[in-house]
Amino acid sequence: MRVGLIGSSLLAMSLTLSACNVNTSPSNQTEAGESAQPAQWSKSTTDQLRDALNKRAAHGLDKMNFEVPAGEDEAALTKAALAYAGALARGATDPTKLYEVYTVPRPNPDLKQGLAQALQQGKVGEWLESLAPQDANYRKLSQAYLALRKQGEAATPAIPDKGEPLKPGATDARIPMIASQLVASDYLDRAAAGGNRYTPAMAAAVKQMQADYGIKPDGVIGSDALAILNLSDADRARAIAVNMERLRWIERTPPGTRIDVNVAAARLSYWRDGKLVNSRKVVVGEPDNETPQLGSPIFRLVANPTWTVPRSIQEKEIAGKGSDYLRRNNMAWEDGWIVQQPGPKNSLGLVKFDMQNDHAIYLHDTPAKPLFQQVQRQRSHGCVRVEDALGFAEMLAKDEGVIDEWNKARATGKETFVKLPREIPVRMLYQTVLFDEAGEPVIRNDPYGWNDRVAQALGLGTTTNYRLKPDGADVGP
């Protein structure tokens, strides 16, 4: 088992214009419609319930309290069973209460009916276990969590901080571990790692990482730089439990044709008829302009789009720049709004993937191509910029049978809409634990610091989190 940071070379996970000001109040999720009802409990089914709760660490729920009465109070047993069933079936927490925006479709099984049937058949234990995700990724997370818990809850980091900063050219036994983490997080090529010497290639990688996190980019590995790369076993266990919870939030059988955007990893996965057919980099919202967790379909492609600048960007970043700036960027006032006309400088690039949601969030092209070469690609105002967006639009148009209409629309040079014959669901998820080519879980950084509110709700506490430094380099959405 390897539990570390992840780079863009790893496989996409199988599920996998405003900032989100979130509400951090957790909710232990027994819905009002699932109030406990008396049922026929036997000694066998009561023992099964208690056994299941005793093994709840397999789901990262060992720090949560699901009270089971010592006696045989059937109403109390039913209440405990439904509470635990709800935690397994759709999460022990409610993401709509943890986050200001969360619209990804969620499971909604009839737990009262399921429990009644399980009691009738004498299979409460089997029923409870069936409610959690059944895929291989969830099982891998469970195994990794249990293994880390067996090692204890010590906060001792994997790479010890000796108090003396490491400078380029130094020799130190910790260098291979540091290099390994830099490789896993995409800052260093694997071929450049090796040995106990702090090489110039490693120093360049550390400088880039320091700049991303707002640390002086001097290449010296002090306590701050080391902390970004370092995770204790307790930190790893916490991240894995949080990501198991996020898997419980989402549908067990999502649409076979869909687009999943992992905002934490800044990658897009395109699924067609149940198979992963494409994965590519994206640029997502920077800290303070986070891309929300949405479920929202693409319903049309827009060739040569115009961009109506949102008031927030207009007032904060364009106001006062004058008519010369507008002219240079092909912008003009229209009915009280600044509108950028189609063309190579348009902030939406040459294609927009129109989506239906109330948050003005969508996928689009961008003229800022160098951003896709960044390691940390949380750099937009909230929308999702797609690498080789024209190629992706052509792929979707072919798959949906509208390639001729798309090519004609592009050729006009004007904003032109191509409606898709069916909507393509898009899920914007936040997963900081992914899987490598061998199927092993690896931990990625938490760019928005969104793990803590889930961890707290699960009784796992918080950890020091280093957030990315907002870039603010361009005004695009």
Side-chain angles (χ1 to χ4, degrees):
M1 177 186 69
R2 181 166 66 89
V3 186
L5 294 172
I6 185 170
S8 63
S9 63
L10 302 179
L11 294 179
M13 191 167 191
S14 65
L15 51 89
T16 165
L17 277 206
S18 56
C20 300
N21 297 316
V22 295
N23 184 331
T24 58
S25 57
S27 171
N28 198 0
Q29 191 151 340
T30 300
E31 300 290 345
E34 290 171 1
S35 56
Q37 300 294 327
Q40 295 298 315
W41 286 85
S42 66
K43 182 180 185 305
S44 173
T45 53
T46 299
D47 289 345
Q48 289 173 38
L49 172 61
R50 289 181 174 140
D51 183 61
L53 288 171
N54 287 336
K55 295 177 179 177
R56 64 187 183 277
H59 303 284
L61 296 172
D62 46 317
K63 298 300 182 180
M64 297 198 75
N65 184 22
F66 298 91
E67 292 187 15
V68 182
E72 299 179 358
D73 184 333
E74 292 200 342
L77 289 168
T78 299
K79 181 179 179 181
L82 287 175
Y84 188 53
L88 295 177
R90 57 176 177 254
T93 60
D94 184 347
T96 66
K97 295 180 180 178
L98 292 174
Y99 301 96
E100 183 178 339
V101 178
Y102 190 96
T103 65
V104 179
R106 300 182 63 204
N108 189 30
D110 187 336
L111 297 180
K112 286 193 294 183
Q113 181 179 352
L115 177 58
Q117 185 175 356
L119 285 168
Q120 185 179 23
Q121 296 173 349
K123 297 182 178 179
V124 168
E126 289 182 27
W127 173 68
L128 286 170
E129 195 59 30
S130 74
L131 296 172
Q134 300 297 307
D135 60 278
N137 286 340
Y138 189 87
R139 288 194 294 273
K140 285 281 190 180
L141 291 177
S142 175
Q143 293 164 6
Y145 182 81
L146 290 174
L148 288 166
R149 278 303 187 206
K150 283 183 179 179
Q151 295 172 21
E153 299 182 14
T156 304
I159 308 171
D161 185 351
K162 298 179 180 178
E164 290 291 329
L166 276 170
K167 297 181 180 180
T171 299
D172 193 285
R174 296 171 293 171
I175 293 297
M177 291 183 286
I178 294 171
S180 178
Q181 297 288 49
L182 289 168
V183 169
S185 55
D186 275 0
Y187 284 107
L188 183 68
D189 289 335
R190 187 172 300 278
N196 289 350
R197 183 173 171 272
Y198 186 10
T199 64
M202 282 185 64
V206 169
K207 287 179 182 179
Q208 185 178 355
M209 182 192 74
Q210 290 171 322
D212 283 343
Y213 285 90
I215 300 171
K216 181 181 178 181
D218 56 10
V220 176
I221 304 176
S223 295
D224 287 340
L226 196 60
I228 295 170
L229 293 167
N230 226 343
L231 289 172
S232 68
D233 286 347
D235 292 332
R236 291 181 171 88
R238 184 184 299 108
I240 288 172
V242 165
N243 281 267
M244 278 196 282
E245 175 73 352
R246 287 197 172 107
L247 290 181
R248 292 190 292 266
W249 288 346
I250 62 178
E251 297 170 301
R252 303 297 187 264
T253 54
T257 296
R258 69 185 186 278
I259 295 168
D260 286 342
V261 176
N262 187 339
V263 176
R267 290 197 71 86
L268 174 153
S269 301
Y270 173 39
W271 296 81
R272 189 84 188 175
D273 299 326
K275 296 181 180 180
L276 179 65
V277 295
N278 187 257
S279 178
R280 61 186 64 211
K281 297 176 183 177
V282 294
V283 173
V284 296
E286 65 183 0
D288 301 326
N289 285 298
E290 295 96 337
T291 298
Q293 297 166 91
L294 294 180
S296 176
I298 293 173
F299 68 98
R300 68 183 179 186
L301 304 177
V302 185
N304 313 304
T306 61
W307 179 43
T308 300
V309 181
R311 295 289 191 206
S312 58
I313 296 178
Q314 176 183 313
E315 293 170 1
K316 292 180 182 178
E317 302 182 40
I318 297 182
K321 290 194 174 181
S323 57
D324 285 345
Y325 175 87
L326 297 183
R327 186 167 52 253
R328 286 196 309 271
N329 289 280
N330 203 17
M331 294 176 172
W333 286 96
E334 295 183 11
D335 299 323
W337 294 84
I338 295 177
V339 179
Q340 190 175 36
Q341 302 306 310
K345 290 186 177 181
N346 188 282
S347 293
L348 303 185
L350 297 175
V351 57
K352 175 185 176 184
F353 304 81
D354 246 345
M355 298 170 64
Q356 293 178 334
N357 60 74
D358 297 327
H359 307 284
I361 296 294
Y362 45 84
L363 278 60
H364 65 92
D365 186 17
T366 178
K369 308 298 185 188
L371 288 178
F372 294 111
Q373 304 309 312
Q374 298 266 353
V375 174
Q376 306 292 348
R377 295 186 297 280
Q378 287 75 23
R379 303 296 182 188
S380 80
H381 280 84
C383 286
V384 178
R385 308 177 187 184
V386 180
E387 183 181 38
D388 184 22
L390 282 176
F392 189 54
E394 182 176 340
M395 184 184 301
L396 295 184
K398 284 180 179 178
D399 289 347
E400 294 299 318
V402 293
I403 188 63
D404 290 341
E405 294 92 328
W406 172 244
N407 287 334
K408 290 176 183 177
R410 281 204 61 204
T412 66
K414 300 178 181 179
E415 185 173 61
T416 309
F417 305 95
V418 177
K419 186 175 176 60
L420 298 178
R422 62 170 177 171
E423 296 178 346
I424 301 177
V426 178
R427 303 186 302 175
M428 296 188 184
L429 307 167
Y430 191 85
Q431 288 288 345
T432 62
V433 180
L434 303 184
F435 295 84
D436 64 15
E437 290 86 347
E440 293 299 319
V442 286
I443 297 174
R444 191 176 176 85
N445 65 323
D446 177 13
Y448 294 165
W450 278 1
N451 279 357
D452 274 355
R453 65 198 66 185
V454 184
Q456 282 184 300
L458 296 176
L460 296 168
T462 61
T463 186
T464 302
N465 184 63
Y466 288 79
R467 297 183 69 200
L468 292 175
K469 179 183 177 183
D471 184 81
D474 64 63
V475 301

